[in-house]
Amino acid sequence: MSKFWTKAVREANPYIPGEQINQPNLLKLNTNENPYPPSPKTIEAIKEATGEKLRLYPSPTMDSLRDAIGDNFNLKRENVFVGNGSDEVLAFSFMAFFERGSTIKYPSITYSFYPVYANIFEVLVDEVPLENDFSINPENFFDAPGGVIFPNPNAPTSLYLELEAIELILKNNPDNIVIVDEAYVDFAKSSAASLIDQYDNLLIIQTLSKSRALAGLRVGFALGQADLIEALIRMKDSFNSYPVDRLALAGAEAAIRDVSYFKEVTEKIINTREWTVKEMTKLGFDVLPTQANFIFTKHAKYNGEKLYEQLKKANILVRHFKTKPIDEYLRITIGTDDEMKRFIDYLKEIN
Amino acid sequence: MSKFWTKAVREANPYIPGEQINQPNLLKLNTNENPYPPSPKTIEAIKEATGEKLRLYPSPTMDSLRDAIGDNFNLKRENVFVGNGSDEVLAFSFMAFFERGSTIKYPSITYSFYPVYANIFEVLVDEVPLENDFSINPENFFDAPGGVIFPNPNAPTSLYLELEAIELILKNNPDNIVIVDEAYVDFAKSSAASLIDQYDNLLIIQTLSKSRALAGLRVGFALGQADLIEALIRMKDSFNSYPVDRLALAGAEAAIRDVSYFKEVTEKIINTREWTVKEMTKLGFDVLPTQANFIFTKHAKYNGEKLYEQLKKANILVRHFKTKPIDEYLRITIGTDDEMKRFIDYLKEIN
């Protein structure tokens, strides 16, 4: 604490990212990264962009990347906003659509960055309790006074909400923005991007960190009707004109355009996930019906924190949240087949 | 405009970056980029980092780069904050040190992003008029109610303020943060970084965009006593945990550590600047005594805007600001010797 700190700094309650431990032979299943490398075309595009031109500013409008993303979703450039990871896009969205002092709704168990944003941007929160099975009841999100935000699939629960339920939330919030944070949607049934034409209050946020295996490159984006995208551009240009560097722009565009590699990797992860769920169920774990690249699970026999610690000692890093009522659960990222086999073998060993 | 926009979006007055025109044979002297490529070691480090590890998040604490910057200034890691370009560092600094509703001071002619930040973060401004020769009179910055910010050298005037004057401003603002924005300081006499030990209210902001020829990589940093850096980290971690990607971290560290290349390039630019000033003076231009990688100049015979347009038609892009009293001036980035010869030749041709 210092006499120079503003109220915002004094009252900030910063986000704590998952541990980034560098250790040989560590099985890192704690931050929902992709176990496969980025598309070879991405690597090639970055290497090509690595040269003399780095002395020049990147494009502030990022048209080329926005066109690539637009093409991918059958949308136009004007429907696409690009930022430095989906976290930055979320921050700009809070500033652009959630009025200070208004009350927004999000699930009581959700991405732990939302309360951080609500705090820093002075937005009040009506936390909506989940059902007993951790599912979202759409009715509880109707008529939110200041807006709605939730991840789909939700994190860390891994549960997917059907588009019909999302439409109900959209219809019952005609004067509010409903943000659907689709960080994990490529591992699920379908994106709500197909609803953008019909709903002027829908903003979708996605990231290249998970399904495109580019957490290290920092690119996220938002999709919505043009006036929502314009609001985000106005926020960006009031904060930092060029948040995505030349290398990230080049790599991201190549990643988005390499649809076949993306599909191949995503399918592999989904298959490994299904195998992992089956094996864990056999071992007596209660695994929530996941549609993400991670599972959320508990075991009647184990205490969540103790199992987390035991795994860590065995060089297997997963994520544990100390908050009730999820403190008995572990969130485990899906790795490669070999990695998950090592994980399951260890569970068998201690079982 | 849309019913969904917050007051912040409606009232935003976004920054307008210099034109980024892609055109063969364009002489681009408008955004103060470095005319030389980045250090070969930077290119090498980025290529080395371009691989499978991009699937993993970057370091949220950026220790290795902070150590490199600390070493460069004889400071410790705890005295260094890193962000996505100095613009992002400036944005976090406004949030961290300038209380909403308080009144800060900056020069009436200065970097045009400051009013954008003041507006978005709802900070009031007492704009301090410059002297007739555009120099800063330190006394006018004493006892600022909410804080002080100015670039040194100032932009777009190119004028340098001596450290003695900066110390006077620091001493006469014991309860306020004084931000010295040193984007161009490597082309000037000396940085105020040597004063950090003595002044707990001094925050210095620098960028790798100019002297390190890395505008395309988006890396900036702040230097100050540890509790000021901690405030900036708290803001970053309330906004976006990883604003600098793996490639930018690797490239920036190599650039900072390659001191000899940096010195060589900076010296070349200073020499070219001195030659350019001499030639322009011969042609009757009034050139302010620059300590930046650009000059600020007018000519009794030319209207500023018309000369800007005429140069543009001749494929020479410089920057013109329409604001009084600088609308007669042009800001011209220093290019290579060949580029400045082409520029001077054109001026001779039309003279």
Side-chain angles (χ1 to χ4, degrees):
Chain A
M1 185 78 74
S2 141
K3 67 174 177 181
F4 298 116
W5 290 13
T6 55
K7 185 168 166 279
V9 181
R10 292 194 307 271
E11 295 181 358
N13 195 1
Y15 177 73
I16 299 159
E19 298 159 277
Q20 294 291 352
I21 298 175
N22 250 330
Q23 201 174 291
N25 206 28
L26 177 74
L27 181 48
K28 192 169 179 301
L29 306 177
N30 72 323
T31 47
N32 296 343
E33 288 142 337
N34 199 307
Y36 299 104
S39 151
K41 288 182 183 164
T42 295
I43 302 296
E44 203 179 302
I46 292 171
K47 285 194 171 154
E48 206 163 296
T50 305
E52 183 265 343
K53 282 205 168 170
L54 283 174
R55 69 180 184 82
L56 301 172
Y57 284 97
S59 161
T61 53
M62 306 187 252
D63 292 342
S64 187
L65 175 55
R66 289 167 69 204
D67 287 346
I69 295 170
D71 289 350
N72 191 63
F73 290 95
N74 266 320
L75 293 167
K76 291 187 182 143
R77 179 191 297 177
E78 67 192 37
N79 301 118
V80 181
F81 174 82
V82 173
N84 185 284
S86 61
D87 284 345
E88 189 187 67
V89 180
L90 284 166
F92 289 142
S93 300
F94 267 72
M95 294 169 80
F97 304 119
F98 296 157
E99 198 68 72
R100 189 191 307 151
S102 74
T103 301
I104 63 165
K105 288 187 178 199
Y106 56 64
S108 59
I109 299 168
T110 196
Y111 182 32
S112 51
F113 221 132
Y114 299 163
V116 177
Y117 293 132
N119 173 56
I120 196 99
F121 299 120
E122 299 183 28
V123 171
L124 307 174
V125 182
D126 176 12
E127 286 196 4
V128 178
L130 297 178
E131 305 297 286
N132 283 336
D133 61 358
F134 290 147
S135 68
I136 283 177
N137 179 347
E139 286 181 26
N140 293 335
F141 289 87
F142 290 180
D143 306 313
V148 171
I149 181 166
F150 58 89
N152 193 36
N154 194 9
T157 67
S158 78
L159 301 182
Y160 176 73
L161 189 65
E162 296 290 340
L163 295 197
E164 293 71 31
I166 292 177
E167 286 202 71
L168 283 178
I169 296 173
L170 287 162
K171 281 179 186 153
N172 286 282
N173 280 286
D175 296 319
N176 292 317
I177 292 296
V178 175
I179 300 177
V180 185
D181 179 355
E182 295 191 336
Y184 301 103
V185 84
D186 292 323
F187 307 101
K189 200 170 152 190
S190 50
S191 164
S194 56
L195 303 176
I196 282 174
D197 274 353
Q198 297 164 65
Y199 296 96
D200 64 356
N201 57 338
L202 169 61
L203 189 81
I204 288 171
I205 297 180
Q206 292 199 8
T207 175
L208 275 71
S209 297
K210 315 294 182 187
S211 56
R212 263 82 181 190
L214 286 171
L217 205 61
R218 317 308 309 126
V219 185
F221 58 90
L223 307 172
Q225 291 193 7
D227 60 342
L228 303 191
I229 300 306
E230 193 191 331
L232 291 172
I233 291 172
R234 287 171 68 87
M235 287 298 94
K236 171 185 87 72
D237 287 341
S238 297
F239 198 88
N240 183 10
S241 312
Y242 319 89
V244 185
D245 64 55
R246 283 180 168 265
L247 307 174
L249 286 174
E253 187 174 340
I256 291 287
R257 295 222 182 264
D258 194 352
V259 176
S260 64
Y261 182 85
F262 156 74
K263 282 192 176 160
E264 182 195 323
V265 162
T266 307
E267 206 177 287
K268 272 203 274 189
I269 292 168
I270 291 173
N271 289 339
T272 310
R273 177 185 75 194
E274 298 311 305
W275 177 85
T276 307
V277 171
K278 215 174 61 198
E279 292 297 313
M280 293 193 74
T281 310
K282 278 190 219 162
L283 291 170
F285 280 88
D286 175 13
V287 186
L288 268 62
T290 172
Q291 292 211 28
N293 69 337
F294 59 88
I295 57 172
F296 202 53
T297 184
K298 68 171 179 177
H299 195 295
K301 227 177 78 180
Y302 299 112
N303 166 281
E305 189 168 5
K306 276 190 188 150
L307 182 55
Y308 160 80
E309 293 293 353
Q310 194 177 351
L311 287 162
K312 197 171 172 182
K313 268 183 204 139
N315 239 345
I316 299 171
L317 197 59
V318 300
R319 190 133 193 208
H320 174 256
F321 299 89
K322 291 187 180 176
T323 349
K324 295 229 174 249
I326 56 169
D327 54 331
E328 284 306 320
Y329 285 79
L330 295 181
R331 192 193 72 185
I332 300 154
T333 305
I334 300 299
T336 62
D337 284 345
D338 283 354
E339 285 173 335
M340 298 323 282
K341 195 171 171 308
R342 175 175 154 197
F343 174 66
I344 295 288
D345 283 349
Y346 179 76
L347 291 181
K348 281 180 183 164
E349 199 182 302
I350 62 169
N351 210 28
Chain B
M1 184 76 74
S2 142
K3 68 174 177 181
F4 298 116
W5 289 14
T6 55
K7 184 168 167 278
V9 181
R10 293 194 308 270
E11 296 182 359
N13 194 1
Y15 177 73
I16 299 161
E19 298 159 278
Q20 293 292 350
I21 298 177
N22 249 331
Q23 201 174 292
N25 206 26
L26 177 75
L27 182 48
K28 193 169 178 300
L29 305 178
N30 73 322
T31 46
N32 296 345
E33 288 142 336
N34 199 307
Y36 299 104
S39 150
K41 288 183 182 163
T42 295
I43 302 296
E44 203 180 303
I46 293 171
K47 286 194 170 152
E48 207 163 295
T50 305
E52 184 264 344
K53 282 207 168 169
L54 284 174
R55 70 181 184 82
L56 301 173
Y57 283 96
S59 161
T61 52
M62 305 187 252
D63 292 341
S64 186
L65 175 55
R66 289 166 69 202
D67 286 346
I69 295 169
D71 289 350
N72 191 64
F73 290 97
N74 267 321
L75 293 166
K76 293 191 181 137
R77 178 191 297 177
E78 67 192 36
N79 302 116
V80 181
F81 174 82
V82 174
N84 185 284
S86 61
D87 285 345
E88 189 186 70
V89 180
L90 284 166
F92 289 142
S93 300
F94 267 73
M95 293 169 81
F97 305 118
F98 296 157
E99 198 68 72
R100 189 192 305 152
S102 75
T103 302
I104 63 165
K105 288 187 179 197
Y106 56 66
S108 59
I109 299 168
T110 196
Y111 182 34
S112 50
F113 222 133
Y114 298 164
V116 176
Y117 293 131
N119 174 55
I120 196 98
F121 299 120
E122 300 183 27
V123 171
L124 306 174
V125 181
D126 177 12
E127 286 197 2
V128 178
L130 298 179
E131 305 296 287
N132 285 336
D133 62 357
F134 291 146
S135 69
I136 283 175
N137 179 347
E139 285 180 25
N140 293 335
F141 289 87
F142 290 179
D143 306 313
V148 170
I149 182 166
F150 59 88
N152 193 37
N154 195 8
T157 67
S158 78
L159 300 181
Y160 176 75
L161 190 66
E162 296 289 340
L163 294 197
E164 294 70 32
I166 292 177
E167 287 202 71
L168 282 178
I169 295 173
L170 287 162
K171 281 179 186 153
N172 286 282
N173 280 286
D175 296 319
N176 292 317
I177 291 297
V178 175
I179 300 177
V180 186
D181 178 355
E182 294 191 335
Y184 302 103
V185 83
D186 292 323
F187 307 101
K189 200 169 153 189
S190 50
S191 163
S194 56
L195 303 175
I196 282 173
D197 274 354
Q198 297 164 65
Y199 296 96
D200 64 358
N201 57 337
L202 170 61
L203 189 82
I204 288 172
I205 297 180
Q206 291 199 7
T207 176
L208 275 72
S209 297
K210 315 295 182 185
S211 56
R212 263 83 179 190
L214 286 171
L217 205 60
R218 319 306 309 127
V219 185
F221 58 90
L223 307 172
Q225 291 193 8
D227 59 343
L228 304 191
I229 300 307
E230 192 190 333
L232 290 172
I233 292 171
R234 287 171 69 87
M235 287 298 93
K236 171 185 87 70
D237 287 340
S238 297
F239 197 89
N240 184 9
S241 312
Y242 319 88
V244 184
D245 64 54
R246 282 180 169 266
L247 305 175
L249 287 174
E253 186 173 339
I256 292 287
R257 294 223 183 263
D258 193 352
V259 176
S260 64
Y261 182 85
F262 156 74
K263 281 192 176 159
E264 182 196 322
V265 162
T266 306
E267 205 177 290
K268 272 203 274 190
I269 292 168
I270 291 173
N271 289 340
T272 310
R273 177 184 75 194
E274 298 310 306
W275 179 84
T276 307
V277 171
K278 215 174 60 199
E279 292 298 313
M280 293 194 71
T281 310
K282 279 190 217 160
L283 291 170
F285 281 87
D286 175 13
V287 186
L288 268 63
T290 172
Q291 291 210 28
N293 69 336
F294 59 87
I295 57 172
F296 202 53
T297 184
K298 68 172 179 177
H299 194 295
K301 226 177 79 179
Y302 300 111
N303 166 281
E305 190 166 5
K306 277 188 187 150
L307 183 55
Y308 160 80
E309 294 292 353
Q310 193 176 353
L311 286 162
K312 198 171 172 181
K313 268 182 206 141
N315 238 345
I316 298 171
L317 197 60
V318 301
R319 191 138 191 204
H320 174 254
F321 299 89
K322 290 186 180 177
T323 348
K324 295 227 175 255
I326 57 169
D327 54 332
E328 285 306 320
Y329 285 78
L330 295 181
R331 193 194 71 184
I332 299 154
T333 306
I334 300 299
T336 63
D337 285 344
D338 283 353
E339 285 172 335
M340 297 324 282
K341 196 172 171 308
R342 175 176 153 195
F343 174 66
I344 294 289
D345 284 348
Y346 179 76
L347 290 180
K348 280 180 182 164
E349 200 182 301
I350 63 169
N351 209 30

